[in-house]
Amino acid sequence: MEDQYTPGMEEDFKAEILEKYPSKLKKKRSRQIVINNIDDNGDVPQIHANTRTTPGILTMRGCSYAGCKGVVLGPTRDILQITHGPIGCGFYSWLTRRNQTRPETETSANYMPYAMSTDLQEEEIIFGGEKKLKAAIDEAVALFNPKAIGIFSTCPVGLIGDDVHAVAREMEAKYPHINIFGFSCEGYKGVSQSAGHHVANNKVFTDVVGLDDTPKEGKFRFNILGEYNIGGDAFEIERVVEKCGLTLHSTFSGNSNYQEFVSAHTVDLNTVMCHRSINYLAEMMETKYGIPWFKINFIGADATAKSLLKIAQFFGDKDLIAQTQKVIDEEMAKVKVVRDEVKARCEGKTAALFVGGSRAHHYQELFAEIGMKTIAAGYEFAHRDDYEGRKVMPSIVVDADSRNIEELTVTADPERYKQRKSDAEMEQFKKDGFAFEDYTGMMGDMENKALVIDDLNHYELEKLIEHMHPDIICAGIKEKYVVQKQGIPMKQLHSYDYMGPFAGFEGAINFYKEIDRLVHSKVFGLTKAPWETSPELSGLYGWNA
Amino acid sequence: MGSEALKLETNHAYVSNRNSCKLCAPLGACFAFRGVEGCIPLIHGSQGCATYIRRYGISHFREPIDIASSNFTETSAIFGGKQNLSTALDNVTRQYKPSVVGIASTCLSETIGDNVDMYISEYKKIREDAPALIYAATPSYSGSHMDGYHEALWALVKTLTDPEAEKGNAINLISGFVSTEDLRELHAILSSFGLSYTLLPDYSESLDGGSWEDYQKMPVGGTPVADIKAMGKAEATIYLGKAVKQERNAGYYLQNEFDIPLYSLDLPIGIELTDRFFEALEEATGNPMPTYWAKARSRLVDAYIDGHKYCSGKKAIVYGDEDFVCAMVSFLDEIGISTPLVATGAPSASFKKRIKALVRNGEAPEEILDDTDFETMLELAGGIKPELVIGNSKGYYLARNLHIPHVRCSFPIHDRIGGQRVLHLGYRGALHLFDEICNALMQAKQEAAHSGYTYI
Ligand code: SF4
Ligand code: SF4
């Protein structure tokens, strides 16, 4: 087949895509479509990211509201969420992300299947919706008496002059036992979900974390930031870390609850899974409370093993390290059996991943474990640091679209700031090559000359399929059927196609099997009818014979 | 006030919407636009609305659904979206080479009072070769997805019909929001009458196509634009669905502008309403109903008799769009299922009256709710003891909470395969629904029985 992937075709591909664009767009996209030319120092080229999608171009991206309500706060079960706006936004974000949760008991609060909206009508658009919002909060209190209520603003709210923060304060004074806070996450802010992540981080930091100094019981307490329990990922991670003897205090926000959030600052370590959506919180918690953080990854069995060991080594306890190693050995033995079998069939096949702000990176690990090569990848809403590594952060220019997202100034808490490790210990860690506050980005982990595309659009996806014919494509539901219609298997990495978990050891096994099923499915071979593949047959099916 | 939560009065009328039973207006408009050949929908507002709406449509239809956006920034939200719309139109035209762009506004563009009509006429001045531009005003704060759907049909007919058009098709059939299989059924029915017709919209293929041999930029299918242009030349218009304001009713527009007689009908679900549809067709075409349909009808009656003992006397909750619920209630009434609770999410002045008129045999429902939500339904259901839930996937949790079966119909259906091609309309649609309902009830009975009999 002429379209088979061959290394070196990336340049032609890029040229062909750009050729069709008008000059301004061409210039912009040429900086967002990058051939990963890694230089001798291991430095990757610069990519243009986190800039507004050109109107009329079909993007994968959603809005700030989606990032704030759907992504960051959606997976937590006992903060009652009220969408302040017209009905659509709230309806569309109702249970669509398929994060899972396990309430402590049958009767414990779980508001995730519940979508409350102020359903603004014309009258409120004209005269303001604050009154209706207050009434909705009254109703929420009467119905559930929740510990906390979050208010999420949609596009019209900012424009009709509603002040959700003032309403939150007023209602909190009315119900002092309930923590009520608002998010200015109107959809037009920023350029994608990413703006909403930042808005969410800020509010959770100022209004939630730090309210209760009672730690959870247990040794070696840490948090995981940026894990959202899609398809039960968090359950698998919880299983594994518990087996190692670690105490997971709180996850932001997969399978989480409010009490874990308010006391999250009592831990000794923050680990970060999805850097894009939550690095702000990690940084602010470090400055205010002195909690060190580092990047981990539980997607991929090897990556999981490495991350677990790193956490154990941070705590430095001999028994903990030994137990962790034992768990890894046990789990890896099971993983290896399936991996070897699947790898024998999948080795050499190719994948392309366009999704999210960290998954396009993390999932390359899983593909590599079964011998599959990622020939193209890109994020939907990441920033340059997620591609090139945090070291480029000082050189990132914030454009007008993102300037409206507040940057908080944080200082050390006079009472509660506590250095977790002594300077000497930190020095030693660094000597041992132990990276804190670091994320090296996706591009450094990809092959030299691989194709990297930020904010891939529909047209480019079609071209990519036509030219590179990857054996599988990972993206979201909006891309799913475009890909499958063309006879290429597609795996959704937002919802996992309602499967999973894919994290940790058992997740890796699930993923290997799933990819094996997809790339070897016979059904895609049926896309061409017999008379299409062999013309001589057409007479036999013969209405034109 | 202290730390106690306030108590709501019994029968408290909720201000908030709790688990919505309606979607937003541009969604409906986009699906209608998708039913026109060579038409790409464009949502004028922030990109999030387009993304959410695509995501929602895709999970129901399991097809790619391209919807462009004019992608507002904070600046456009303050100063207006004219430049964004013009850039979006340029880019969409270049990529898709559409013959029509269907523009639907959003709460955002409507809140700031963007004058899209004016933008369009200015755009046409600078781009003479622009595709046809249709504008549907779809602020969701003053209408649901169904209003958006009818609004788009009205805008299409109003903008495209051409008094100078050559002779058009004999019959205009304008359909409410139904499934792709329903549209195929309407094609089958209309073509059997042997007259030419225009079915608007027609997303039977564009939202439910086959696998592709070659990449299709613009999905095939849809009502041809030339046919819409000539709708003013037809001999009659049949409009299926009544939950549409007169001033936004494309059929009414054709009647007013072109003197075309209008048959305004309910969705043809069940025998009675399908009979009325066929009567209208006979009258409008002057041709008798082909025997094929008479046989289908007779088979349906036979099935009603066979299955009567399983459904007769049962109680169902029905919810969804007004037109769907009305037609469904009429069908259920004829098979002996009572509907003590019927509900629609959007506010409607006509809903109660329509339902009462459609229940001809059994008791009128105790609760006929418009402008309601799923939580309200759940709260009321307890006292009603229903045995069946009928409606889209969003109501699954009613069935789950009440431990009764759920028959999935209408839109959206994203927890079953084939949700986009459930057949509801015509005699064959009724037969299909009848089988589904009886089987759901039989399964529930079988599972509850100790005997495990396979004859029930
Ligand atoms: S703002 Fe309006 S148009 Fe957009 S998703 Fe929300 S309800 Fe729908
Ligand atoms: S109106 Fe705004 S907040 Fe709502 S979906 Fe659209 S972009 Fe997002």
Side-chain angles (χ1 to χ4, degrees):
Chain A
M1 200 189 308
E2 47 152 348
D3 298 329
Q4 212 58 46
Y5 169 74
T6 42
M9 71 188 301
E10 293 85 0
E11 293 283 358
D12 293 344
F13 171 71
K14 178 172 175 179
E16 196 195 313
I17 294 250
L18 293 177
E19 184 193 55
K20 290 271 157 55
Y21 284 137
S23 61
K24 241 171 105 185
L25 188 55
K26 181 190 277 178
K27 206 170 133 210
K28 186 170 170 199
R29 289 307 290 160
S30 75
R31 297 162 65 202
Q32 290 177 287
I33 304 176
V34 170
I35 315 283
N36 195 24
N37 288 313
I38 304 179
D39 70 14
D40 297 341
N41 301 327
D43 284 336
V44 298
Q46 183 173 330
I47 189 166
H48 200 53
N50 194 34
T51 54
R52 180 157 292 278
T53 308
T54 306
I57 299 294
L58 266 88
T59 174
M60 300 176 174
R61 291 172 169 176
C63 64
S64 163
Y65 163 82
C68 182
K69 180 190 183 260
V71 177
V72 179
L73 282 126
T76 191
R77 62 180 167 262
D78 58 354
I79 297 178
L80 187 99
Q81 311 197 351
I82 303 179
T83 296
H84 186 38
I87 198 64
C89 325
F91 186 96
Y92 301 130
S93 60
W94 175 19
L95 273 184
T96 27
R97 282 199 84 235
R98 201 188 156 257
N99 358 67
Q100 304 185 4
T101 202
R102 262 184 207 148
E104 303 75 8
T105 69
E106 284 224 346
T107 51
S108 305
N110 176 16
Y111 309 127
M112 275 165 53
Y114 187 80
M116 192 177 219
S117 164
T118 50
D119 187 9
L120 292 182
Q121 298 298 308
E122 190 141 21
E123 199 187 306
E124 288 99 35
I125 296 290
I126 300 167
F127 300 109
E130 291 186 5
K131 215 174 112 206
K132 199 169 190 185
L133 176 58
K134 287 180 208 166
I137 294 172
D138 280 334
E139 291 175 345
V141 174
L143 284 168
F144 302 109
N145 200 15
K147 291 181 186 146
I149 296 177
I151 306 158
F152 298 84
S153 312
T154 73
C155 284
V157 167
L159 296 165
I160 60 176
D162 278 10
D163 183 345
V164 295
H165 308 290
V167 171
R169 278 193 299 274
E170 187 186 325
M171 295 310 278
E172 203 176 271
K174 185 171 174 184
Y175 304 112
H177 64 297
I178 302 178
N179 187 1
I180 304 178
F181 39 89
F183 297 88
S184 292
C185 53
E186 286 89 346
Y188 55 76
K189 293 201 167 152
V191 302
S192 67
Q193 292 92 315
S194 174
H197 303 151
H198 198 163
V199 171
N201 277 230
N202 286 350
K203 212 25 160 218
V204 167
F205 178 72
T206 56
D207 282 44
V208 181
V209 171
L211 293 179
D212 184 345
D213 294 330
T214 334
K216 246 190 200 174
E217 264 177 50
K219 286 206 287 192
F220 317 122
R221 288 178 318 103
F222 76 114
N223 296 325
I224 300 176
L225 275 54
E227 197 299 314
Y228 301 111
N229 201 18
I230 307 296
D233 277 354
F235 303 145
E236 165 66 1
I237 295 171
E238 287 166 15
R239 178 187 75 86
V240 174
V241 298
E242 197 190 309
K243 220 170 139 187
C244 293
L246 293 158
T247 305
L248 177 54
H249 181 104
S250 161
T251 301
F252 287 83
S253 51
N255 193 30
S256 62
N257 66 43
Y258 178 72
Q259 180 54 35
E260 291 166 350
F261 284 1
V262 291
S263 53
H265 62 294
T266 59
V267 300
D268 292 319
L269 170 69
N270 273 335
T271 59
V272 172
M273 270 278 279
C274 171
H275 172 263
R276 178 66 271 131
S277 58
I278 209 138
N279 74 88
Y280 320 94
L281 187 62
E283 267 186 56
M284 294 188 288
M285 283 174 79
E286 157 127 58
T287 314
K288 185 166 178 184
Y289 302 107
I291 307 168
W293 71 268
F294 53 71
K295 174 85 178 66
I296 47 141
N297 174 23
F298 288 126
I299 302 295
D302 295 340
T304 301
K306 238 167 74 188
S307 299
L308 289 171
L309 268 183
K310 188 167 176 179
I311 297 168
Q313 278 156 1
F314 170 84
F315 288 108
D317 180 273
K318 261 213 218 78
D319 294 342
L320 174 69
I321 297 173
Q323 172 64 13
T324 304
Q325 191 56 56
K326 196 173 141 235
V327 171
I328 293 172
D329 294 343
E330 251 172 59
E331 298 281 339
M332 283 308 263
K334 284 183 273 177
V335 168
K336 208 174 161 300
V337 178
V338 184
R339 182 193 284 184
D340 290 347
E341 190 200 321
V342 171
K343 189 172 179 181
R345 281 191 294 268
C346 291
E347 182 100 59
K349 295 202 178 287
T350 56
L353 287 71
F354 292 96
V355 63
S358 62
R359 290 177 195 264
H361 181 194
H362 291 162
Y363 276 80
Q364 296 188 23
E365 297 259 359
L366 276 169
F367 281 111
E369 289 178 358
I370 47 172
M372 287 178 64
K373 182 173 149 112
T374 303
I375 52 175
Y379 295 124
E380 187 180 340
F381 48 72
H383 301 194
R384 273 184 62 201
D385 35 326
D386 308 296
Y387 284 104
E388 303 167 47
R390 278 178 74 90
K391 63 173 188 251
V392 303
M393 283 174 83
S395 66
I396 294 179
V397 188
V398 178
D399 67 8
D401 281 318
S402 299
R403 221 166 284 143
N404 52 19
I405 312 300
E406 195 187 0
E407 281 285 350
L408 300 179
T409 319
V410 181
T411 50
D413 187 299
E415 271 119 51
R416 294 182 292 178
Y417 183 92
K418 188 178 97 215
Q419 206 172 332
R420 297 325 205 250
K421 294 274 173 192
S422 69
D423 290 344
E425 282 171 313
M426 287 306 268
E427 217 26 65
Q428 189 55 45
F429 274 132
K430 275 175 201 154
K431 259 194 218 138
D432 299 342
F434 208 97
F436 286 94
E437 291 150 61
D438 197 23
Y439 175 41
T440 50
M442 175 174 87
M443 287 163 77
D445 281 348
M446 288 184 71
E447 288 205 15
N448 192 24
K449 301 225 176 294
L451 191 61
V452 182
I453 307 179
D454 183 58
D455 188 21
L456 177 88
N457 60 49
H458 240 53
Y459 158 72
E460 291 162 357
L461 175 62
E462 288 150 28
K463 285 281 160 206
L464 188 120
I465 292 173
E466 188 186 313
H467 282 262
M468 306 184 86
H469 252 273
D471 293 301
I472 189 164
I473 293 182
C474 298
I477 188 164
K478 295 186 294 303
E479 293 70 50
K480 183 169 182 74
Y481 299 97
V482 182
V483 173
Q484 285 187 176
K485 283 266 179 195
Q486 297 173 82
I488 293 183
M490 196 289 176
K491 184 75 204 159
Q492 291 187 61
L493 288 187
H494 286 293
S495 70
Y496 294 176
D497 290 296
Y498 324 109
M499 300 166 87
F502 294 147
F505 300 110
E506 285 181 3
I509 293 175
N510 289 340
F511 194 77
Y512 303 154
K513 289 183 179 163
E514 170 66 356
I515 297 305
D516 188 28
R517 176 185 75 80
L518 279 167
V519 298
H520 293 110
S521 166
K522 296 270 183 294
V523 71
F524 293 99
L526 297 175
T527 47
K528 278 194 197 299
W531 59 86
E532 289 166 344
T533 36
S534 39
E536 68 277 10
L537 270 180
S538 66
L540 298 177
Y541 286 84
W543 44 84
N544 51 1
Chain B
M1 196 178 282
S3 66
E4 270 311 291
L6 102 169
K7 293 270 177 296
L8 298 175
E9 289 170 26
T10 354
N11 290 331
H12 169 82
Y14 280 90
V15 169
S16 56
N17 185 307
R18 302 168 304 139
N19 292 353
S20 168
C21 185
K22 61 178 175 186
L23 292 84
C24 77
L27 172 129
C30 287
F31 295 162
F33 285 138
R34 258 294 173 228
V36 173
E37 192 175 65
C39 177
I40 173 123
L42 190 164
I43 293 185
H44 185 49
S46 302
Q47 81 196 2
C49 313
T51 296
Y52 269 142
I53 287 170
R54 285 177 65 205
R55 187 227 169 278
Y56 235 83
I58 291 168
S59 62
H60 172 82
F61 289 102
R62 299 179 193 263
E63 289 285 312
I65 301 180
D66 288 10
I67 298 171
S69 158
S70 59
N71 217 311
F72 271 38
T73 60
E74 183 150 28
T75 326
S76 17
I78 297 164
F79 298 108
K82 180 175 162 188
Q83 185 53 47
N84 289 61
L85 183 61
S86 131
T87 311
L89 285 171
D90 279 353
N91 279 322
V92 161
T93 310
R94 188 177 42 72
Q95 293 173 91
Y96 291 87
K97 311 205 171 16
S99 39
V100 184
V101 181
I103 303 165
S105 56
T106 56
C107 303
L108 179 58
S109 63
E110 295 285 343
T111 299
I112 63 173
D114 249 7
N115 189 339
V116 176
D117 279 324
M118 189 181 81
Y119 295 170
I120 289 180
S121 65
E122 287 174 15
Y123 182 81
K124 283 209 219 135
K125 275 185 213 139
I126 48 165
R127 296 272 190 275
E128 280 170 4
D129 54 349
L133 303 177
I134 314 289
Y135 166 53
T138 46
S140 300
Y141 51 75
S142 54
S144 75
H145 60 300
M146 281 299 93
D147 297 296
Y149 178 89
H150 292 291
E151 175 85 21
L153 296 180
W154 173 81
L156 278 162
V157 168
K158 181 169 172 286
T159 317
L160 291 174
T161 42
D162 179 0
E164 311 291 305
E166 297 276 296
K167 204 174 149 23
N169 293 321
I171 304 291
N172 296 325
L173 179 62
I174 305 179
S175 172
F177 187 39
V178 295
S179 78
T180 58
E181 192 67 25
D182 288 333
L183 291 174
R184 290 189 280 271
E185 188 72 0
L186 291 176
H187 272 300
I189 292 173
L190 280 158
S191 40
S192 73
F193 274 84
L195 280 185
S196 62
Y197 63 91
T198 300
L199 173 61
L200 178 76
D202 181 10
Y203 43 82
S204 61
E205 229 186 316
S206 50
L207 287 179
D208 193 11
S211 157
W212 298 343
E213 193 183 344
D214 292 310
Y215 186 74
Q216 298 173 0
K217 185 89 250 187
M218 190 72 97
V220 294
T223 315
V225 174
D227 287 1
I228 305 176
K229 283 193 171 151
M231 281 174 90
K233 302 282 158 180
E235 280 149 38
T237 302
I238 297 176
Y239 202 107
L240 299 179
K242 292 178 173 173
V244 44
K245 290 181 235 126
Q246 199 173 61
E247 69 276 14
R248 286 298 191 263
N249 180 321
Y252 188 75
Y253 174 84
L254 289 165
Q255 185 181 45
N256 254 359
E257 288 293 306
F258 300 96
D259 261 342
I260 304 175
L262 170 66
Y263 296 84
S264 176
L265 302 177
D266 287 300
L267 293 178
I269 300 182
I271 290 185
E272 171 78 21
L273 296 181
T274 303
D275 283 350
R276 286 189 212 161
F277 176 47
F278 274 101
E279 278 158 28
L281 280 169
E282 287 184 331
E283 195 179 305
T285 62
N287 295 340
M289 170 163 87
T291 46
Y292 180 87
W293 303 111
K295 284 185 185 163
R297 187 184 192 281
S298 148
R299 207 173 298 123
L300 176 60
V301 174
D302 192 50
Y304 277 12
I305 295 166
D306 294 345
H308 190 248
K309 72 165 184 170
Y310 301 110
C311 53
S312 165
K314 300 284 184 212
K315 285 190 277 188
I317 300 182
V318 188
Y319 57 84
D321 311 331
E322 177 173 338
D323 280 322
F324 161 75
V325 174
C326 286
M328 195 68 189
V329 164
S330 162
F331 160 66
L332 292 171
D333 178 59
E334 77 199 15
I335 61 172
I337 295 186
S338 68
T339 49
L341 171 56
V342 300
T344 188
S348 161
S350 56
F351 187 54
K352 268 201 181 73
K353 229 173 98 197
R354 286 181 70 190
I355 292 286
K356 284 189 177 152
L358 286 164
V359 177
R360 297 167 300 268
N361 305 307
E363 301 255 315
E366 291 150 44
E367 301 282 359
I368 307 175
L369 310 173
D370 68 302
D371 197 8
T372 193
D373 53 32
F374 283 111
E375 280 294 289
T376 307
M377 289 180 225
L378 186 61
E379 283 155 11
L380 290 170
I384 282 169
K385 308 226 175 340
E387 288 144 298
L388 188 63
V389 173
I390 300 176
N392 60 53
S393 291
K394 287 294 167 194
Y396 163 64
Y397 89 101
L398 299 179
R400 190 182 164 96
N401 271 294
L402 300 164
H403 306 288
I404 53 177
H406 180 199
V407 173
R408 286 166 181 77
C409 295
S410 193
F411 171 90
I413 301 175
H414 38 57
D415 60 348
R416 282 295 179 274
I417 198 87
Q420 77 278 39
R421 49 187 143 82
V422 172
L423 179 61
H424 312 78
L425 302 191
Y427 300 124
R428 294 197 296 196
L431 185 61
H432 171 75
L433 292 174
F434 185 74
D435 290 349
E436 288 278 306
I437 288 170
C438 287
N439 288 337
L441 290 166
M442 286 163 85
Q443 184 174 346
K445 187 177 167 197
Q446 197 167 29
E447 279 167 9
H450 292 293
S451 58
Y453 280 150
T454 52
Y455 286 97
I456 62 169

